Every structure is written in structure tokens, then in C-alpha cells.
């Protein structure tokens, strides 16, 4: 799954170029190559495959588009290392430009020949957050993800659309019904090598193509939020059992920032 010579956009200090930071802030997404080396990809892919086999039945997604397993970092010691990676956390803070903490992680798996797309949507409208600046997600490819295996397509600049209702990621028309002008926005599709990562803002419109190959598309996603984020009171699987009241800070051991 790996290329003969890996390319990385991360320097020896664990930072990316100012050009990539500027691209992220302008477009709401960016591809960072080589965030994991070959050994890291092999180790985390093996752990992800084992976790999926043991926990597939616990998927939050029941529409057969993909498997979604949330907060794997609390249950698997190897994948915990990936979720809480200081290298990834520092890159995320460099892109955001302000302190972050973990919201949650998730495995997003498209099984072989699962010929359904994850339709265009924004992430942030689903989350019970208040008082926050732009959240962002690190979508890490644990296998090669060309377009035919389900890589993502982004709508540049839509990170500035913070006023839309939640969209149905099973409905190809729903985002465009919320804002018809977005139907004509440019679309950028970003294939990834195993070990590459895309970062995207919680408001950036995006979709994932179907997996038409014989190999499962394994992606590990770490979602970061503004370190000052508070709980809005809305329902969400991550917060429903925590006994929070509106206005509580999302911090502490449940929402850590180990790269600080």
C-alpha cells in the first residue's frame, strides 16, 4: 500500500510550511503528506483492522454506507497513541492558529464494494458546542485511498458558511437545498497515500466517494476543538452520558490536549 519513496510535508520539528497553513485558512482544508511513516502506518492499520473486527457491531452508522466507531482511543492502547499524537496535535494547532483539545476520534471504514457515497455535508452543525472558533478534523489514511476507494471531495471556502442547518449525509441534495448556490461551487478531490492526512474545518462542505475496490478503506479521524469550547446542551453520543449542563467547559481527561 505504500509508495517506494514516501513524501512528507512535515519538517524535523513537526511543523508544516506557511504555504500549507495559508492554503488551509483560505480553503478550509489541506492535504498534508506523510504524517505517518511506513512503520507507523503498518502498526496503526493492524490495530485498526483488529479493532474493527472486534467492534464492527457497535457502529453508530447503521445505513450501510460506512462503519463509524467513536472514541476508540479510550479502548485500544495502540490507536490511543495515534489519536493523542503530539505531532498531529501540533500540526492542527499550527493550522488553526489557537489552542485546541480533543473532541473525539473515530474510525470511518468503507467496506470493499460498498458502492455508496457519503454525501456532501458539514460536521460542525451536528456538534453540541458553544463559544468556539473553527474546529478541525485530521482524516488519516491507513491504506492508499484513490478516488475509487472513497477519498474525499471538498467545497473550498465553505468554512465561512456557519449559518446552515445540519445536513443529511445520506441525501445527495440536502446541502444544496440548504444553500442552492453551493451546487456551483468548485469541488476538489484529494486522493491520499497511506500515511497522508487531510485536515478540514468543521464547517467545510465535503463528501466521500464510494469504495468500489476489493480493499476496505480504513481512515482514522481525530477531531480537534477550540480549547475554550463549552457545552451547548444539545444531544450528542459523546456527551449524552457525561452529566454536563449548558455552559460547562469541554475539558479535563475526557477532552485532553496532550501536545500542550
Amino acid at each position: 500500500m505504500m509508495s517506494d519513496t514516501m513524501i512528507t510535508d512535515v519538517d524535523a520539528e513537526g511543523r508544516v510550511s506557511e504555504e500549507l497553513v495559508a492554503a488551509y485558512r483560505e480553503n478550509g482544508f489541506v492535504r498534508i503528506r506523510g504524517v505517518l511513516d511506513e512503520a507507523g502506518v503498518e502498526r496503526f492499520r493492524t490495530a485498526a483492522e483488529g479493532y474493527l473486527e472486534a467492534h464492527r457491531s457497535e457502529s453508530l452508522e447503521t445505513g450501510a454506507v460506512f462503519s463509524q466507531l467513536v472514541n476508540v482511543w479510550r479502548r485500544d492502547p495502540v490507536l490511543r497513541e495515534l489519536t493523542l499524537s503530539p505531532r498531529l496535535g501540533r500540526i492542527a494547532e499550527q493550522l488553526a492558529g489557537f489552542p485546541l483539545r480533543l473532541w473525539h476520534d473515530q474510525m470511518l471504514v468503507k467496506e470493499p464494494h460498498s458502492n455508496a457515497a457519503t454525501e456532501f455535508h458539514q460536521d460542525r452543525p451536528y456538534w453540541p458546542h458553544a463559544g468556539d472558533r473553527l474546529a478541525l478534523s485530521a482524516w488519516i489514511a491507513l491504506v492508499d485511498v484513490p478516488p475509487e476507494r472513497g477519498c474525499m471531495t471538498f467545497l473550498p471556502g465553505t468554512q465561512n458558511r456557519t449559518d446552515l442547518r445540519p445536513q443529511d449525509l445520506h441525501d445527495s441534495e440536502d446541502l444544496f437545498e440548504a444553500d442552492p448556490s453551493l451546487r456551483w461551487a468548485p469541488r476538489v478531490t484529494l486522493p491520499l497515500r497511506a500515511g497522508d492526512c487531510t485536515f478540514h474545518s468543521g464547517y467545510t462542505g465535503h463528501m466521500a466517494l464510494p469504495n468500489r475496490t476489493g480493499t476496505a478503506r480504513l481512515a482514522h479521524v481525530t477531531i480537534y476543538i477550540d480549547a475554550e469550547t463549552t457545552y451547548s446542551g444539545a444531544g450528542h453520543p459523546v456527551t449524552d452520558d457525561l452529566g454536563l449542563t449548558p455552559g460547562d467547559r469541554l475539558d479535563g481527561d475526557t477532552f485532553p490536549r496532550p501536545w500542550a
Side-chain angles (χ1 to χ4, degrees):
M1 292 292 177
M2 304 296 294
S3 60
D4 292 335
T5 302
M6 288 196 69
I7 299 172
T8 182
D9 293 315
V10 187
D11 68 18
E13 284 72 45
R15 296 180 63 82
V16 300
S17 69
E18 288 305 314
E19 289 78 8
L20 288 173
V21 174
Y24 169 77
R25 294 181 185 176
E26 177 180 357
N27 297 315
F29 64 91
V30 70
R31 175 171 53 192
I32 308 293
R33 297 171 297 179
V35 298
L36 299 179
D37 62 18
E38 292 191 25
V41 168
E42 178 65 25
R43 183 165 182 260
F44 294 127
R45 181 176 65 241
T46 299
E49 289 170 342
Y51 192 89
L52 176 65
E53 184 67 23
H55 299 282
R56 184 183 274 109
S57 64
E58 301 168 20
S59 173
L60 293 183
E61 168 59 36
T62 58
V65 176
F66 55 86
S67 295
Q68 180 186 22
L69 298 168
V70 171
N71 272 336
V72 300
W73 70 279
R74 297 185 188 174
R75 303 174 71 181
D76 186 279
V78 176
L79 295 173
R80 178 185 179 91
E81 293 177 27
L82 180 54
T83 297
L84 302 184
S85 164
R87 175 184 173 93
L88 279 165
R90 289 172 188 140
I91 293 171
E93 286 196 344
Q94 186 186 357
L95 296 174
F98 50 81
L100 302 171
R101 62 179 67 254
L102 176 69
W103 166 226
H104 66 79
D105 67 4
Q106 56 188 4
M107 286 178 58
L108 294 179
V109 182
K110 286 199 172 180
E111 303 287 356
H113 307 297
S114 56
N115 295 322
T118 309
E119 304 294 353
F120 277 110
H121 64 283
Q122 299 169 305
D123 297 329
R124 173 61 177 78
Y126 290 98
W127 296 337
H129 298 165
D132 57 312
R133 292 165 286 186
L134 288 179
L136 70 162
S137 297
W139 197 100
I140 307 156
L142 298 180
V143 296
D144 289 344
V145 188
E148 59 269 22
R149 191 166 290 140
C151 70
M152 286 199 290
T153 296
F154 299 93
L155 302 177
T158 46
Q159 75 275 15
N160 299 316
R161 292 307 313 270
T162 61
D163 57 342
L164 299 179
R165 59 164 173 78
Q167 305 99 39
D168 183 351
L169 53 78
H170 300 97
D171 183 346
S172 63
E173 293 297 310
D174 200 38
L175 176 62
F176 306 119
E177 290 174 359
D179 183 351
S181 71
L182 295 181
R183 187 182 302 278
W184 312 109
R187 303 180 184 189
V188 178
T189 299
L190 291 179
L192 300 178
R193 291 281 197 177
D196 292 350
C197 176
T198 56
F199 287 84
H200 68 272
S201 162
Y203 281 109
T204 300
H206 61 285
M207 61 89 69
L209 295 165
N211 181 7
R212 296 190 170 95
T213 75
T215 299
R217 189 214 68 186
L218 289 172
H220 185 93
V221 184
T222 302
I223 306 173
Y224 303 93
I225 54 174
D226 183 345
E228 301 301 315
T229 300
T230 60
Y231 176 56
S232 71
H236 190 277
V238 170
T239 49
D240 285 347
D241 297 327
L242 298 181
L244 297 171
T245 58
D248 286 348
R249 281 273 299 270
L250 298 178
D251 58 13
D253 292 341
T254 306
F255 307 104
R257 51 187 317 259
W259 52 86

